[in-house]
Amino acid sequence: MNSKPKADAATKATVSLPTKNGITLKVNGAVKQIEIAPWTTLLDALREHLGLTGTKKGCDHGQCGACTVLVNGKRITSCLTLAIMHDGAEVTTIEGLAEGEVLHPLQKAFVEHDAFQCGYCTPGQICSAVGLLREGKAKSPEDIRELMSGNICRCGAYANIVAAIEQVSRMGERGDEE
Amino acid sequence: MNSFSYTRADDVATALREVAADGAAKFIAGGTNLIDLMKENVERPSRLIDITRLTLGGIRPRSDGGLRLGALATNTDVAYHKEIERRYPLLSKAILAGASPQLRNMATVGGNLLQRTRCCYFYDTATPCNKRTPGVGCSAIAGFNRAHAILGTSAACIASHPSDMCVALAALEAVVRVTGSVGERVVPFAAFHRLPGDTPNIDTNLQADEIITGVDLPARGFAEHHAYLKIRDRASYAFALVSVAAALEMDGNTITEARLALGGVAHKPWRDPQTETMLHGQSATRENFKRVAEALLRDAKGFGRNRFKIELAKLAIVRALSQASFKEAHS
């Protein structure tokens, strides 16, 4: 696979422009049908096609975690995956965590602990923390730090982020139950 | 990212047919490395064949007492699998030392083996790179090469393989199961990845018309005496500068078998089974560990900024072996 000539790839890519594809996603409980190109990432599908701009684009290379969402209950970086590959999947974004005016316990804890400054990384941090609590592997603040290492906070609110997650973890909250 | 067409394969035969029909097509599963490289225009496939719906997941016992990891089992599936944690903790720890939880939820066993051996110049299309465009030269040899290889390098490429999982699989002597147009074959782990030589554009010995279906773990998992030590620039979520997978069998304080695999130091997970035998029949002492570390690094070559890795690797080997020699390793 690695030995395929690159020139060949470039030439072929210019001669066949694929049409858009229809896919169905269940986003925050609602069934959505969208037409997307094969190269549309899940992140771009959520933001540009579904208007769900809560999920942020940070590095766009899976390094910062700002785009973290839950797909079929598992946290992933939505920038590093193609929407077309998730036809039929259930996606939960930051917009899907609160129930009406009632904040998700993690959202509440982030407010209580002042677990952000600029807030840009916060949707990804919270979605990642929902995934972390569901996984049930974090038993200590050290575990939380290690298992949140895929979410970068440029403001450096890490201490408060860990405290917020730890508080919800001790409450036995397992994340949003749909 | 270039435009491309997309198809979803429902079975292995279809996937193989599709990939054979288009020389610039690629399989996609977790996509964590491929999509990243496509965003940088380093990979430009004409077609992506989605293999995520093939029935190649799961982790199953084998009749020889080992385990079979399905090619589509995710890193998370493997790392937290009860039998892996109990019988192959070295593998579990290595996987959990790599990437982030989000990436481990996407990345697959097969994809981990097929991630590109890479460096910052491979990613930067404004600079020459023999791995990207054979023959144009290597920017790393006289460039910023702090992260680069010190063993098995060539005049064409000094990139290092970034996987943690593969370092453990090398130590465990896993076997890669491959299916192609001419049938199935098995590849010993040591023969799967390649050194750069004068073809650094080719990372593995997988053929263009082949697909990985699984990875077999032999029965012996070295659960009692093992360590995975990863040295990196920050506490988490960074590639190894040097990593060591150490696995020992011991009779009292005497080593009866030793396995050592190194990450971050070569174009592939580095093993030297001949040198490992130096430890057989020896007692687990710092002096013996130092001797084997010196021998393993005897041919190491630095390129300026990465020269520190030679001494670092020796120290890491001694520490990993010390940890492994204690029952229930403290790695």
Side-chain angles (χ1 to χ4, degrees):
Chain A
M1 297 262 300
N2 297 334
S3 58
K4 285 170 191 162
K6 295 263 177 328
D8 191 20
T11 315
K12 289 202 173 173
T14 54
V15 292
S16 71
L17 275 175
T19 52
K20 291 200 168 186
N21 299 265
I23 64 161
T24 304
L25 297 174
K26 192 174 178 189
V27 184
N28 300 328
V31 175
K32 304 281 184 185
Q33 285 177 321
I34 49 172
E35 295 275 315
I36 45 141
W39 48 88
T40 304
T41 62
L42 179 60
L43 172 61
D44 287 343
L46 291 170
R47 288 181 56 87
E48 309 297 332
H49 292 259
L50 293 168
L52 293 169
T53 53
T55 307
K56 301 304 183 206
K57 183 178 283 195
C59 68
D60 210 23
H61 287 278
Q63 296 174 9
C64 76
C67 68
T68 304
V69 300
L70 298 142
V71 172
N72 297 328
K74 291 179 180 166
R75 52 175 165 160
I76 66 167
T77 45
S78 59
C79 74
L80 273 192
T81 193
L82 302 172
I84 198 168
M85 294 176 70
H86 297 286
D87 191 13
E90 288 192 24
V91 182
T92 304
T93 69
I94 189 71
E95 290 93 340
L97 294 183
E99 296 200 22
E101 293 300 304
V102 183
L103 293 180
H104 183 279
L106 276 162
Q107 290 175 307
K108 206 159 160 275
F110 267 60
V111 173
E112 281 173 18
H113 287 270
D114 196 18
F116 44 79
Q117 283 184 43
C118 81
Y120 196 81
C121 73
T122 311
Q125 298 277 1
I126 291 177
C127 285
S128 189
V130 171
L132 174 144
L133 294 180
R134 280 189 183 171
E135 291 154 14
K137 302 294 181 189
K139 311 292 183 200
S140 65
E142 290 71 30
D143 291 347
I144 293 172
R145 273 193 279 274
E146 170 60 31
L147 293 171
M148 286 297 291
S149 66
N151 293 82
I152 309 294
C153 170
R154 270 202 73 178
C155 303
Y158 295 110
N160 296 356
I161 291 169
V162 172
I165 298 169
E166 198 192 352
Q167 176 180 302
V168 181
S169 176
R170 273 198 257 114
M171 285 159 50
E173 172 59 56
R174 305 282 295 187
D176 67 325
E177 305 302 337
E178 283 147 297
Chain B
M1 211 184 305
N2 64 287
S3 57
F4 56 85
S5 60
Y6 167 92
T7 52
R8 184 182 295 146
D10 294 321
D11 54 64
V12 170
T14 309
L16 289 172
R17 214 165 33 244
E18 297 248 1
V19 83
D22 183 344
K26 277 191 176 292
F27 294 133
I28 186 166
T32 53
N33 184 221
L34 178 57
I35 292 176
D36 193 33
L37 289 167
M38 287 168 66
K39 287 185 176 189
E40 298 288 358
N41 278 319
V42 175
E43 297 280 7
R44 298 176 58 84
S46 60
R47 170 186 288 267
L48 287 184
I49 303 155
D50 180 352
I51 58 168
T52 54
R53 316 260 168 137
L54 303 184
T55 52
L56 294 176
I59 295 163
R60 277 177 284 278
R62 283 169 44 79
S63 57
D64 68 357
L67 286 184
R68 174 163 305 168
L69 314 176
L72 289 174
T74 66
N75 287 4
T76 302
D77 292 340
V78 179
Y80 291 127
H81 189 272
K82 288 283 161 267
E83 285 297 288
I84 302 288
E85 288 182 320
R86 188 174 71 82
R87 294 178 52 200
Y88 305 93
L90 174 65
L91 178 59
S92 179
K93 287 171 186 171
I95 292 171
L96 293 176
S100 68
Q102 290 97 316
L103 297 188
R104 295 196 293 264
N105 279 340
M106 296 195 275
T108 62
V109 167
N112 193 295
L113 269 63
L114 292 177
Q115 67 181 305
R116 297 303 308 270
T117 299
R118 54 199 189 267
C119 86
C120 51
Y121 296 103
F122 176 64
Y123 263 88
D124 182 357
T125 55
T127 62
C129 168
N130 288 322
K131 186 179 279 296
R132 244 188 299 109
T133 316
V136 297
C138 171
S139 301
I141 287 174
F144 290 95
N145 52 34
R146 186 169 180 275
H148 290 67
I150 51 172
L151 287 164
T153 54
S154 74
C157 181
I158 61 169
S160 60
H161 195 262
S163 173
D164 293 292
M165 185 180 96
C166 287
V167 180
L169 290 175
L172 293 168
E173 296 189 346
V175 172
V176 187
R177 301 194 77 87
V178 162
T179 296
S181 50
V182 293
E184 211 180 8
R185 68 184 178 112
V186 292
V187 184
F189 205 80
F192 188 80
H193 294 98
R194 295 162 59 100
L195 289 176
D198 52 11
T199 53
N201 53 313
I202 309 172
D203 290 340
T204 74
N205 288 316
L206 190 74
Q207 300 303 302
D209 63 347
E210 288 181 323
I211 190 169
I212 298 174
T213 56
V215 172
D216 289 345
L217 300 178
R220 288 199 301 159
F222 297 88
E224 282 197 359
H225 294 288
H226 71 277
Y228 188 74
L229 178 64
K230 182 175 183 181
I231 313 286
R232 45 187 158 175
D233 280 332
R234 49 179 192 246
S236 185
Y237 200 15
F239 287 147
L241 293 165
V242 171
S243 71
V244 183
L248 300 173
E249 295 244 332
M250 299 186 64
D251 182 3
N253 195 42
T254 303
I255 296 163
T256 55
E257 176 153 9
R259 305 263 185 91
L260 275 170
L262 307 182
V265 295
H267 198 263
K268 59 185 277 189
W270 187 263
R271 260 196 82 192
D272 180 353
Q274 192 60 42
T275 300
E276 290 165 10
T277 61
M278 280 175 64
L279 284 171
H280 295 180
Q282 303 295 310
S283 53
T285 64
R286 202 175 163 77
E287 289 65 38
N288 286 333
F289 297 155
K290 273 185 181 168
R291 278 200 305 125
V292 75
E294 288 291 338
L296 269 169
L297 273 297
R298 65 184 172 263
D299 296 325
K301 182 183 169 197
F303 295 86
R305 288 176 167 84
N306 70 346
R307 203 160 285 152
F308 72 99
K309 281 192 177 189
I310 299 172
E311 189 60 26
L312 183 65
K314 291 177 192 172
L315 295 170
I317 289 165
V318 172
R319 196 203 288 181
L321 284 169
S322 303
Q323 289 175 345
S325 65
F326 296 117
K327 204 175 169 95
E328 302 297 339
H330 305 287
S331 58

